[in-house]
Short mmCIF file of all heavy atoms in Angstrom, two decimals:
data_model
loop_
_atom_site.label_atom_id
_atom_site.label_comp_id
_atom_site.label_asym_id
_atom_site.label_seq_id
_atom_site.Cartn_x
_atom_site.Cartn_y
_atom_site.Cartn_z
N HIS R 26 35.52 5.90 17.56
CA HIS R 26 35.54 4.57 16.98
C HIS R 26 34.27 4.25 16.22
O HIS R 26 34.30 3.76 15.06
CB HIS R 26 35.82 3.50 18.03
CG HIS R 26 35.83 2.11 17.51
ND1 HIS R 26 36.97 1.49 16.99
CD2 HIS R 26 34.84 1.15 17.40
CE1 HIS R 26 36.65 0.28 16.61
NE2 HIS R 26 35.38 0.07 16.84
N SER R 27 33.12 4.50 16.85
CA SER R 27 31.84 4.26 16.18
C SER R 27 31.63 5.20 15.01
O SER R 27 31.08 4.78 13.94
CB SER R 27 30.70 4.40 17.22
OG SER R 27 30.84 3.47 18.27
N ASN R 28 31.98 6.45 15.18
CA ASN R 28 31.89 7.43 14.06
C ASN R 28 32.64 6.92 12.83
O ASN R 28 32.13 6.98 11.72
CB ASN R 28 32.39 8.78 14.47
CG ASN R 28 31.57 9.42 15.61
OD1 ASN R 28 30.45 8.94 15.93
ND2 ASN R 28 32.10 10.47 16.20
N LEU R 29 33.92 6.52 13.08
CA LEU R 29 34.75 6.08 11.97
C LEU R 29 34.18 4.76 11.32
O LEU R 29 34.23 4.59 10.12
CB LEU R 29 36.16 5.84 12.48
CG LEU R 29 36.94 7.12 12.89
CD1 LEU R 29 38.16 6.73 13.67
CD2 LEU R 29 37.29 7.99 11.71
N THR R 30 33.66 3.90 12.20
CA THR R 30 33.08 2.69 11.70
C THR R 30 31.85 2.94 10.78
O THR R 30 31.73 2.36 9.68
CB THR R 30 32.63 1.74 12.86
OG1 THR R 30 33.79 1.44 13.64
CG2 THR R 30 31.95 0.51 12.39
N ARG R 31 30.98 3.85 11.25
CA ARG R 31 29.81 4.20 10.41
C ARG R 31 30.26 4.82 9.10
O ARG R 31 29.72 4.52 8.02
CB ARG R 31 28.91 5.18 11.16
CG ARG R 31 28.17 4.58 12.33
CD ARG R 31 27.05 5.50 12.80
NE ARG R 31 27.46 6.87 12.97
CZ ARG R 31 28.01 7.32 14.13
NH1 ARG R 31 28.18 6.54 15.15
NH2 ARG R 31 28.34 8.61 14.20
N ALA R 32 31.21 5.73 9.15
CA ALA R 32 31.65 6.44 7.96
C ALA R 32 32.25 5.47 6.94
O ALA R 32 31.99 5.52 5.73
CB ALA R 32 32.67 7.52 8.29
N LEU R 33 33.07 4.54 7.43
CA LEU R 33 33.69 3.56 6.52
C LEU R 33 32.66 2.64 5.92
O LEU R 33 32.73 2.33 4.73
CB LEU R 33 34.79 2.79 7.27
CG LEU R 33 35.63 1.84 6.43
CD1 LEU R 33 36.38 2.60 5.31
CD2 LEU R 33 36.59 1.05 7.31
N ALA R 34 31.74 2.16 6.75
CA ALA R 34 30.68 1.28 6.26
C ALA R 34 29.87 1.96 5.16
O ALA R 34 29.51 1.36 4.13
CB ALA R 34 29.80 0.85 7.43
N HIS R 35 29.57 3.23 5.39
CA HIS R 35 28.76 3.95 4.42
C HIS R 35 29.52 4.17 3.12
O HIS R 35 29.01 3.99 2.03
CB HIS R 35 28.36 5.35 4.97
CG HIS R 35 27.49 6.14 4.11
ND1 HIS R 35 28.00 7.06 3.22
CD2 HIS R 35 26.13 6.15 3.96
CE1 HIS R 35 26.97 7.63 2.54
NE2 HIS R 35 25.82 7.08 2.98
N ARG R 36 30.84 4.50 3.24
CA ARG R 36 31.61 4.75 2.03
C ARG R 36 31.77 3.44 1.19
O ARG R 36 31.70 3.50 -0.01
CB ARG R 36 33.00 5.28 2.44
CG ARG R 36 34.00 5.36 1.24
CD ARG R 36 33.49 6.21 0.07
NE ARG R 36 33.31 7.58 0.41
CZ ARG R 36 34.21 8.55 0.14
NH1 ARG R 36 35.31 8.27 -0.50
NH2 ARG R 36 33.97 9.78 0.48
N LEU R 37 31.97 2.30 1.87
CA LEU R 37 32.22 1.08 1.16
C LEU R 37 30.95 0.29 0.84
O LEU R 37 30.97 -0.69 0.10
CB LEU R 37 33.11 0.19 2.00
CG LEU R 37 34.53 0.75 2.28
CD1 LEU R 37 35.33 -0.27 3.11
CD2 LEU R 37 35.23 1.08 0.98
N GLY R 38 29.78 0.74 1.46
CA GLY R 38 28.55 -0.02 1.23
C GLY R 38 28.59 -1.39 1.85
O GLY R 38 28.02 -2.34 1.28
N ARG R 39 29.25 -1.49 3.00
CA ARG R 39 29.39 -2.79 3.68
C ARG R 39 28.87 -2.67 5.10
O ARG R 39 28.77 -1.61 5.64
CB ARG R 39 30.87 -3.25 3.67
CG ARG R 39 31.34 -3.62 2.28
CD ARG R 39 32.86 -3.61 2.18
NE ARG R 39 33.51 -4.49 3.09
CZ ARG R 39 34.83 -4.62 3.19
NH1 ARG R 39 35.63 -3.88 2.42
NH2 ARG R 39 35.37 -5.46 4.04
N PRO R 40 28.49 -3.81 5.71
CA PRO R 40 27.95 -3.76 7.13
C PRO R 40 28.99 -3.22 8.10
O PRO R 40 30.20 -3.43 7.94
CB PRO R 40 27.62 -5.24 7.41
CG PRO R 40 27.50 -5.92 6.07
CD PRO R 40 28.45 -5.20 5.16
N LYS R 41 28.49 -2.58 9.14
CA LYS R 41 29.43 -2.01 10.16
C LYS R 41 30.27 -3.06 10.79
O LYS R 41 31.47 -2.83 11.02
CB LYS R 41 28.58 -1.22 11.20
CG LYS R 41 27.91 -0.01 10.66
CD LYS R 41 27.33 0.87 11.79
CE LYS R 41 26.14 0.18 12.52
NZ LYS R 41 24.95 0.12 11.60
N ASP R 42 29.70 -4.23 11.15
CA ASP R 42 30.49 -5.22 11.83
C ASP R 42 31.55 -5.85 10.94
O ASP R 42 32.59 -6.35 11.39
CB ASP R 42 29.60 -6.32 12.44
CG ASP R 42 28.77 -7.06 11.42
OD1 ASP R 42 28.74 -6.63 10.23
OD2 ASP R 42 28.15 -8.06 11.77
N GLU R 43 31.37 -5.71 9.63
CA GLU R 43 32.35 -6.23 8.69
C GLU R 43 33.55 -5.30 8.52
O GLU R 43 34.71 -5.76 8.38
CB GLU R 43 31.70 -6.43 7.32
CG GLU R 43 32.57 -7.07 6.27
CD GLU R 43 31.83 -7.27 4.97
OE1 GLU R 43 30.73 -7.91 5.01
OE2 GLU R 43 32.34 -6.83 3.92
N VAL R 44 33.32 -3.97 8.55
CA VAL R 44 34.40 -3.04 8.41
C VAL R 44 35.03 -2.60 9.68
O VAL R 44 36.16 -2.04 9.69
CB VAL R 44 33.93 -1.78 7.60
CG1 VAL R 44 33.32 -2.18 6.28
CG2 VAL R 44 32.97 -0.94 8.42
N GLU R 45 34.39 -2.85 10.83
CA GLU R 45 34.92 -2.33 12.12
C GLU R 45 36.34 -2.74 12.39
O GLU R 45 37.15 -1.93 12.87
CB GLU R 45 34.01 -2.78 13.28
CG GLU R 45 34.44 -2.23 14.60
CD GLU R 45 33.56 -2.68 15.73
OE1 GLU R 45 32.67 -3.57 15.53
OE2 GLU R 45 33.76 -2.17 16.86
N PRO R 46 36.78 -3.99 12.03
CA PRO R 46 38.18 -4.35 12.29
C PRO R 46 39.20 -3.52 11.56
O PRO R 46 40.38 -3.50 11.94
CB PRO R 46 38.21 -5.84 11.88
CG PRO R 46 36.85 -6.33 12.06
CD PRO R 46 35.99 -5.19 11.63
N ALA R 47 38.76 -2.83 10.52
CA ALA R 47 39.72 -1.99 9.73
C ALA R 47 39.93 -0.61 10.40
O ALA R 47 40.90 0.06 10.09
CB ALA R 47 39.16 -1.78 8.35
N VAL R 48 39.07 -0.22 11.37
CA VAL R 48 39.25 1.01 12.10
C VAL R 48 40.41 0.83 13.08
O VAL R 48 40.48 -0.20 13.77
CB VAL R 48 37.93 1.40 12.84
CG1 VAL R 48 38.17 2.63 13.68
CG2 VAL R 48 36.87 1.67 11.79
N HIS R 49 41.27 1.79 13.16
CA HIS R 49 42.52 1.63 13.85
C HIS R 49 42.91 2.84 14.69
O HIS R 49 42.26 3.89 14.60
CB HIS R 49 43.64 1.28 12.83
CG HIS R 49 43.71 2.23 11.68
ND1 HIS R 49 42.88 2.16 10.58
CD2 HIS R 49 44.48 3.38 11.49
CE1 HIS R 49 43.15 3.17 9.75
NE2 HIS R 49 44.13 3.90 10.29
N ASP R 50 43.98 2.69 15.43
CA ASP R 50 44.47 3.83 16.26
C ASP R 50 44.79 5.01 15.36
O ASP R 50 45.26 4.87 14.27
CB ASP R 50 45.73 3.41 17.05
CG ASP R 50 45.37 2.48 18.20
OD1 ASP R 50 44.17 2.28 18.48
OD2 ASP R 50 46.33 1.93 18.84
N VAL R 51 44.58 6.18 15.91
CA VAL R 51 44.44 7.43 15.11
C VAL R 51 45.61 8.36 15.29
O VAL R 51 46.44 8.24 16.21
CB VAL R 51 43.13 8.15 15.53
CG1 VAL R 51 41.93 7.25 15.26
CG2 VAL R 51 43.21 8.55 17.01
N LEU R 52 45.62 9.35 14.39
CA LEU R 52 46.34 10.59 14.67
C LEU R 52 45.30 11.54 15.26
O LEU R 52 44.27 11.83 14.62
CB LEU R 52 46.92 11.17 13.42
CG LEU R 52 47.40 12.65 13.46
CD1 LEU R 52 48.49 12.80 14.56
CD2 LEU R 52 47.94 13.13 12.13
#
């Protein structure tokens, strides 16, 4: 969950706490 949050924040250039809700259940 944290790995995906960091990766998404880095890709979008947005804070981690802002993008964390977009991280979701996985395959």
Side-chain angles (χ1 to χ4, degrees):
H26 177 87
S27 296
N28 296 347
L29 294 166
T30 298
R31 290 194 310 274
L33 185 61
H35 183 267
R36 171 57 66 98
L37 299 179
R39 291 161 58 182
K41 292 190 291 292
D42 59 352
E43 184 179 307
V44 304
E45 183 180 9
V48 174
H49 51 278
D50 286 353
V51 299
L52 167 59

